[in-house]
Amino acid sequence: MQKNKLDKNQLIGFILIGIILIGFLIYSNNQQKEAITEAQNTEKKVVENEKSTVAVNTPEPIKPDPDSQAKVELIPFTNDNLDIKVSTLGAQLREVRLKKWTAYDKDNNSHKKPLYLVNKNNSDFNISFKDKNGKIINTRDLVFTPSVQGNEVIFSANLKDALIQFKYKLKGKYSLDFSVFTQGLSKITSVQNALLEWQQNALALEKGKSQETIYTEYRYSLNNYSQTDYDTNGFEEEKDKIDWISVKQQFFATILESQNGFYKSKGTQQSEKEDPDYLKNFVFSTIVPLQKGDIKQNYTWNFLPLDYDLLKSYKTESGDSKQFSYNIPYGWMKWLCIFYLWVYEFLAKFGIAAGWIIFLMTIVVKLVTSPIMYKQYIQGAKMRILKPEIEELNEKHKNSDPMKKQQATMDLYRKAGVNPLAGCLPALIQIPIFYSLFRFFPNNIALRGQSFLWADDLTAYDSIYEWTTHIPLLSSIYGNHISLFTILYCIVLLIYTRMSTSTMQQPTQEGMPDMRFMMYLMPVMFIFWLNSYASGLSWYYLVSNAINIILILLIKNFLINEEKIHAKMQQNKAKPAKKRSRWQQKMQEMMEQAQQQQKQIQEQKAKQQNKKK
């Protein structure tokens, strides 16, 4: 009788695979660090070259009319949700604080710091063009004079015979309208287009910087809100019109809209791993057309928490969605994430703590998927009952053609009424659920800052122990902390794997690895993958697998009678053979074709050997 234990060669193979995976993670991390360092060095050289060029080609900073008595100061704009300050130097943003939200304070391990999207000169907005002498004029270098007209503040700067104005006005809860208007610009320039540049160095706001960096990227809408796209490296849109461009972080976004659209746009982004206060540096540039020699453009800044209902409320004048909700990265199972959000918000109305809401949501999901699990266990029981007959069949055909043995095995399955792939379909059905939850928990702003048990934020990792020393191998693939929810989940997963694999059949062909070994390896791998992920997700997986264990015990001891299943299978075998299904016929044809090809190959080898003799 064939023994299907994991032999020495297979064990060595799995160990080598594990070493290769770990080595690849370390190599990828080092390569990324080298690429970032090289990009930073290149950027420094470019900046130095630009500075030297500017020193030669750019005139002295152009000052406004002396009679304006302009000075550098910060002009405040405030409502119930925003505190904004605009500098008269460049007429650009210098502070943007969301008053009803707080950032994570790593010194106190809590969300107590004021939350700024713009602060410490991390944002720069500039419009540049060349004068008739070919010298570059930047609005960021000009000192503007502010004047208040109703609820609007107008920033004005004089350039010889030309006037440049930036007009700002608060709009709604989280928006700041502004327009750029020039007069007489054709007297000092003959260009047809100016260049708009927006640079933003995204500030770290959350506990888990590595996870927050993953979710920090460009998002934008195209062609009158008919398309959406995102970028994690760099993009260039030469033909398409961009309606809005967003620097999206894990739970907040700075969105720049244009009434007329952005054309011939480029965006770059670069990680800021060396500075703990910053995530990524974004640089966006686009062409601003001059109309009859002047600039007339209307824009809106939106400083938004990524609350789904809030984002859906932003619409165009015609009532169409502006697609701001695309800034929440729910992925291809968006509708399922929205359903989870609805369930979460419904339960939250009863004043239930966030951690217990996740617990209740887990029970709901398991009740929905329990029939799938039941079918999987039934299929496993059938395979286990057939195991002695399959082993007998393998012994009978141990010297036969492998294809004949496989065909005999398929005939046995068909006569007994067993579909060996029936257990795969329920598992495939659960993939969308797994994926959508993987997306939902780290991006649900309602969970942000919510504590549960020892976790201080369910959207970030939980830690029972942290260290500051950088350990090259461990820090690269694990991190500098220990997540207790992740460890508990992996222990429970290991127990569940042990119980579920008891119904799995060992491989029937010689040389085929025992997949149960891979299933036991998964809990170990999850310790590394989930250690820095949202603790709410680990808590969900922990509860989910604990419920799985309970369901297996219920199904095994109260819902399944293996003697009845065996009797039913014997009855199926005694009945006349059913007509093969289309799938079975197709599989039979494929097996016969493979058998015929193998026979032809063997005949060709035999002929070649005879020729050599």
Side-chain angles (χ1 to χ4, degrees):
M1 185 176 294
Q2 179 185 345
K3 294 182 179 180
N4 292 295
K5 295 181 180 179
L6 192 69
D7 61 25
K8 181 176 67 176
N9 293 332
Q10 293 172 0
L11 180 60
I12 293 173
F14 283 126
I15 292 174
L16 288 175
I17 290 172
I19 293 173
I20 291 171
L21 286 173
I22 294 173
F24 176 75
L25 288 172
I26 297 171
Y27 173 78
S28 300
N29 185 64
N30 292 335
Q31 288 292 101
Q32 189 176 15
K33 286 182 178 178
E34 292 176 3
I36 291 172
T37 303
E38 183 179 353
Q40 289 173 340
N41 293 335
T42 303
E43 184 182 10
K44 288 179 181 178
K45 292 179 180 178
V46 171
V47 171
E48 290 173 359
N49 291 335
E50 287 178 350
K51 286 181 178 179
S52 62
T53 303
V54 169
V56 175
N57 297 326
T58 306
E60 293 295 326
I62 301 174
K63 298 180 181 180
D65 189 337
D67 296 334
S68 66
Q69 297 181 348
K71 63 179 181 179
V72 177
E73 57 182 321
L74 297 178
I75 307 301
F77 296 80
T78 186
N79 60 17
D80 293 339
N81 297 281
L82 294 174
D83 266 339
I84 298 175
K85 292 181 180 179
V86 177
S87 174
T88 56
L89 178 60
Q92 59 176 308
L93 300 170
R94 278 295 166 257
E95 285 186 15
V96 175
R97 182 171 75 91
L98 274 65
K99 298 167 71 171
K100 295 184 178 181
W101 298 88
T102 54
Y104 185 77
D105 185 352
K106 59 185 178 182
D107 295 329
N108 298 312
N109 294 326
S110 62
H111 285 82
K112 292 185 177 180
K113 290 173 59 177
L115 192 150
Y116 288 92
L117 293 181
V118 177
N119 197 17
K120 300 180 180 179
N121 295 325
N122 70 309
S123 181
D124 181 78
F125 183 88
N126 181 58
I127 295 178
S128 63
F129 54 90
K130 291 183 180 180
D131 66 9
K132 291 183 178 180
N133 296 320
K135 297 178 181 179
I136 298 175
I137 298 174
N138 296 297
T139 58
R140 68 158 69 94
D141 298 328
L142 304 179
V143 179
F144 289 74
T145 301
S147 63
V148 180
Q149 294 186 6
N151 59 350
E152 184 178 64
V153 179
I154 301 175
F155 294 79
S156 303
N158 294 318
L159 285 173
K160 299 179 182 178
D161 297 324
L163 173 69
I164 299 179
Q165 287 187 334
F166 281 52
K167 300 179 181 180
Y168 286 92
K169 180 174 66 174
L170 280 170
K171 176 184 177 182
K173 295 181 179 180
Y174 295 99
S175 302
L176 180 69
D177 274 350
F178 80 103
S179 59
V180 181
F181 170 81
T182 68
Q183 186 175 0
L185 203 62
S186 58
K187 296 178 182 179
I188 62 173
T189 183
S190 57
V191 298
Q192 299 299 313
N193 297 302
L195 179 67
L196 181 154
E197 286 185 303
W198 171 37
Q199 181 269 337
Q200 181 117 335
N201 209 351
L203 295 166
L205 305 174
E206 314 301 333
K207 177 181 179 180
K209 182 180 178 181
S210 60
Q211 181 181 240
E212 187 183 8
T213 302
I214 292 173
Y215 287 109
T216 300
E217 61 192 7
Y218 275 123
R219 295 241 162 183
Y220 51 97
S221 170
L222 296 164
N223 302 323
N224 299 319
Y225 312 98
S226 62
Q227 300 170 262
T228 50
D229 206 348
Y230 71 97
D231 175 76
T232 57
N233 295 302
F235 71 92
E236 185 170 346
E237 298 289 352
E238 286 289 339
K239 297 180 180 179
D240 293 324
K241 168 193 173 186
I242 291 181
D243 309 300
W244 53 260
I245 181 75
S246 166
V247 171
K248 185 205 81 68
Q249 299 179 223
Q250 188 174 358
F251 294 112
F252 301 91
T254 303
I255 304 175
L256 177 60
E257 288 184 85
S258 172
Q259 182 175 316
N260 300 319
F262 301 114
Y263 293 91
K264 295 184 178 180
S265 305
K266 295 181 182 179
T268 62
Q269 56 179 296
Q270 179 180 312
S271 295
E272 296 281 3
K273 289 194 172 183
E274 301 302 325
D275 194 328
D277 294 330
Y278 297 99
L279 302 171
K280 289 182 179 179
N281 185 37
F282 295 85
V283 179
F284 172 74
S285 63
T286 186
I287 296 299
V288 178
L290 272 63
Q291 303 173 6
K292 297 181 178 179
D294 279 303
I295 298 173
K296 295 180 181 179
Q297 295 289 326
N298 297 310
Y299 304 99
T300 300
W301 289 109
N302 300 280
F303 310 102
L304 296 169
L306 297 185
D307 177 276
Y308 183 78
D309 293 332
L310 173 65
L311 299 180
K312 290 290 290 183
S313 68
Y314 283 81
K315 300 182 181 299
T316 63
E317 293 181 357
S318 60
D320 297 327
S321 172
K322 289 187 176 182
Q323 305 295 339
F324 281 2
S325 62
Y326 180 68
N327 283 281
I328 305 178
Y330 283 152
W332 55 277
M333 292 303 297
K334 177 180 177 179
W335 65 272
L336 196 51
C337 291
I338 295 172
F339 171 74
Y340 298 145
L341 181 62
W342 178 84
V343 173
Y344 182 91
E345 291 177 343
F346 173 77
L347 294 174
K349 292 179 181 178
F350 297 95
I352 305 173
W356 294 116
I357 291 178
I358 295 175
F359 180 84
L360 295 174
M361 288 179 64
T362 311
I363 294 176
V364 171
V365 173
K366 297 313 294 184
L367 287 175
V368 172
T369 59
S370 56
I372 298 174
M373 187 175 181
Y374 176 77
K375 290 183 179 180
Q376 281 183 299
Y377 198 90
I378 287 286
Q379 185 62 30
K382 289 180 178 180
M383 296 295 291
R384 186 172 64 254
I385 292 170
L386 277 181
K387 182 179 178 181
E389 296 182 54
I390 292 174
E391 289 179 347
E392 183 181 344
L393 187 148
N394 289 336
E395 182 66 22
K396 180 180 178 180
H397 293 277
K398 65 179 181 180
N399 296 322
S400 303
D401 190 307
M403 298 301 297
K404 289 184 178 180
K405 183 170 69 174
Q406 187 67 23
Q407 185 175 347
T409 303
M410 295 298 293
D411 287 338
L412 175 62
Y413 287 149
R414 183 169 54 85
K415 290 178 181 178
V418 175
N419 184 352
L421 296 180
C424 298
L425 182 59
L428 291 175
I429 293 174
Q430 295 185 71
I431 290 178
I433 297 174
F434 181 91
Y435 173 82
S436 58
L437 289 167
F438 193 80
R439 286 285 188 173
F440 173 74
F441 285 108
N443 295 293
N444 181 11
I445 196 170
L447 289 172
R448 181 180 183 268
Q450 296 293 323
S451 60
F452 180 68
L453 299 178
W454 55 85
D456 54 15
D457 185 352
L458 286 171
T459 62
Y461 62 84
D462 63 296
S463 56
I464 56 171
Y465 182 74
E466 298 185 15
W467 58 91
T468 57
T469 304
H470 179 76
I471 306 173
L473 179 61
L474 189 64
S475 298
S476 299
I477 62 176
Y478 185 70
N480 291 344
H481 64 274
I482 297 175
S483 170
L484 183 56
F485 271 135
T486 301
I487 291 177
L488 292 176
Y489 157 61
C490 292
I491 291 173
V492 174
L493 178 60
L494 191 63
I495 297 172
Y496 170 67
T497 301
R498 177 70 182 87
M499 297 177 67
S500 60
T501 53
S502 63
T503 63
M504 289 183 63
Q505 181 188 349
Q506 292 180 349
T508 59
Q509 295 184 10
E510 187 177 356
M512 291 291 290
D514 191 343
M515 293 306 296
R516 292 179 299 179
F517 178 82
M518 292 299 295
M519 294 186 68
Y520 281 119
L521 187 62
M522 290 304 293
V524 179
M525 299 178 72
F526 275 125
I527 288 179
F528 295 94
W529 288 343
L530 295 179
N531 189 58
S532 296
Y533 218 70
S535 56
L537 182 66
S538 299
W539 167 237
Y540 170 85
Y541 288 154
L542 169 60
V543 176
S544 178
N545 281 275
I547 295 174
N548 284 343
I549 292 173
I550 296 172
L551 288 175
I552 283 182
L553 293 174
L554 290 174
I555 292 170
K556 181 179 180 181
N557 296 309
F558 299 100
L559 300 179
I560 288 183
N561 188 324
E562 293 193 4
E563 292 181 359
K564 289 184 179 180
I565 294 175
H566 183 264
K568 181 67 176 176
M569 292 169 64
Q570 295 302 321
Q571 290 177 8
N572 291 336
K573 288 165 61 177
K575 293 178 182 179
K578 294 182 179 180
K579 184 180 178 181
R580 288 188 177 93
S581 64
R582 289 184 179 180
W583 179 84
Q584 290 174 330
Q585 291 176 359
K586 189 67 175 177
M587 288 294 295
Q588 181 69 22
E589 292 174 1
M590 291 173 62
M591 291 172 63
E592 291 175 354
Q593 290 176 1
Q595 188 174 358
Q596 185 65 28
Q597 291 175 356
Q598 187 176 4
K599 185 178 179 180
Q600 291 176 355
I601 292 172
Q602 291 176 349
E603 290 176 354
Q604 290 177 357
K605 287 182 178 180
K607 288 180 180 180
Q608 291 176 355
Q609 290 177 356
N610 292 332
K611 287 181 179 180
K612 290 180 179 179
K613 293 179 179 178

